[in-house]
Amino acid sequence: MAAKVITIESNILKKNDSIAGENRELFRKYRILAVNLLSSPGSGKTSLLVRTCGVLKKKLRVSVSVGDLQTAADAERIAGAGVPVVQINTGTACHLDANMVQQSLKSLPLEQTDILFIENVGNLVCPATFDVGEQLKVVLLSVAEGEEKPLKYPPIFQNADCVCINKTDLLPHVDFNLNQCRDNLKRICPHAPVFEFSCRTGEGLGAWHDWLLGKWSALAGVEC
Ligand code: MG
Ligand code: ZN
C-alpha cells in the first residue's frame, strides 16, 4: 500500500517537472528572472512584494503571480504598487504547482516583464517539492517566528538561493534569538546570503533590492 502511494506522488512530481520545464523555457524566451517566494503564513511575503515592486519598477518591468487558497486580497495589495499582478486561488491546495503558475502566465504581459515574482502559498513544507520553473527560490521568515525554523524545515532552506529575515523592527519586543538563527542558517544553507530587514519601516531592504538587480543583470547580461 505504501509503495502505491509513493508511485502516485512520483508521477505527480514527474508531470509537474515537465510543466516546470515549459515554464523555464518561457522565462528564457522572454528573458524573465522568475523568483519563487516561500514562507510560512504571516511572515510578510505580500508586504515584501509591495515594497520591492515599488522600488524595482523604477528600473525593471515587474510582474507578480500570487497564490492563496481563497480571496484576491494579496493581489489587490500588490496591484497598489502599480505592477501587473494575477491572483491564483488554489482552493484546497497548500502549494503552487507548475501548471497553476503556467495558467497565471496567460494573464501577465510576459513580453513586458523583466522580473516575475511568484508569491507561493504560505507553507514551508510542500512548496519545497514543487518546481514551478523559477530561477531563484527565496525563503522568508520573520522574527515573530522561531529561530529554529531552518532546523525544523531543512528541505526548503537547503534549496534557498537567499534567506530573508523580516520584521526586525520587532526584535526588542520578541524573544527571537537573531544570532542563533544566523547560526542555524549557516548550518543548513551555508551558501545562501541572508538579508535582514523590516518591511514595515523599510530599514535594511536596500541590500535585498541590490541582490535582485544583480541577479537580473547577470541573467540579462546588461547593467541596470
Ligand atoms: Mg501573502
Ligand atoms: Zn501542498
Side-chain angles (χ1 to χ4, degrees):
M1 200 63 187
K4 200 172 177 185
V5 173
I6 290 163
T7 305
I8 289 164
E9 184 176 314
S10 80
N11 281 342
I12 289 171
L13 289 177
K14 212 171 146 192
K15 183 156 180 261
N16 184 75
D17 286 348
S18 141
I19 300 172
E22 294 171 13
N23 292 351
R24 198 168 283 114
E25 194 48 49
L26 268 182
F27 299 144
R28 197 178 357 251
K29 179 178 167 193
Y30 292 107
R31 207 172 65 172
I32 293 170
L33 178 68
V35 181
N36 192 0
L37 183 55
L38 308 150
S39 83
S40 304
S43 306
K45 292 183 297 302
T46 308
S47 302
L48 178 59
L49 288 181
V50 169
R51 284 274 188 187
T52 299
C53 292
V55 171
L56 291 195
K57 74 172 187 180
K58 293 172 192 158
K59 294 189 171 180
L60 298 176
R61 298 166 301 176
V62 185
S63 295
V64 181
S65 283
V66 46
D68 268 310
L69 273 65
Q70 295 287 333
T71 86
D74 285 2
E76 283 160 11
R77 282 178 64 200
I78 293 164
V83 299
V85 52
V86 56
Q87 178 82 49
I88 305 166
N89 279 148
T90 61
T92 55
C94 47
H95 57 268
L96 289 179
D97 65 25
N99 181 52
M100 295 174 198
V101 170
Q102 189 169 87
Q103 297 310 311
S104 78
L105 297 179
K106 294 175 184 164
S107 304
L108 288 171
L110 297 185
E111 306 84 349
Q112 282 101 42
T113 297
D114 298 316
I115 183 162
L116 169 74
F117 291 104
I118 300 159
E119 180 184 328
N120 218 303
V121 178
N123 178 354
L124 285 178
V125 186
C126 41
T129 319
F130 284 85
D131 179 12
V132 296
E134 76 278 20
Q135 290 98 331
L136 297 177
K137 285 187 204 291
V138 172
V139 180
L140 176 69
L141 62 106
S142 86
V143 307
E145 304 165 48
E147 61 276 345
E148 73 290 347
K149 277 266 168 81
L151 306 181
K152 285 183 170 177
Y153 303 96
I156 208 156
F157 285 92
Q158 278 157 352
N159 288 316
D161 292 287
C162 83
V163 176
C164 298
I165 303 178
N166 186 24
K167 309 192 188 181
T168 52
D169 56 299
L170 295 180
L171 277 170
H173 310 289
V174 293
D175 292 328
F176 188 86
N177 185 329
L178 184 56
N179 280 329
Q180 185 64 57
C181 187
R182 289 172 179 146
D183 286 348
N184 292 343
L185 288 169
K186 256 185 214 117
R187 272 178 61 192
I188 301 294
C189 47
H191 304 296
V194 178
F195 301 107
E196 301 168 6
F197 49 65
S198 162
C199 289
R200 196 173 70 83
T201 66
E203 197 184 347
L205 282 166
W208 151 254
H209 294 148
D210 290 346
W211 182 79
L212 285 170
L213 290 170
K215 291 290 179 189
W216 188 81
S217 290
L219 175 95
V222 292
E223 286 296 313
C224 64

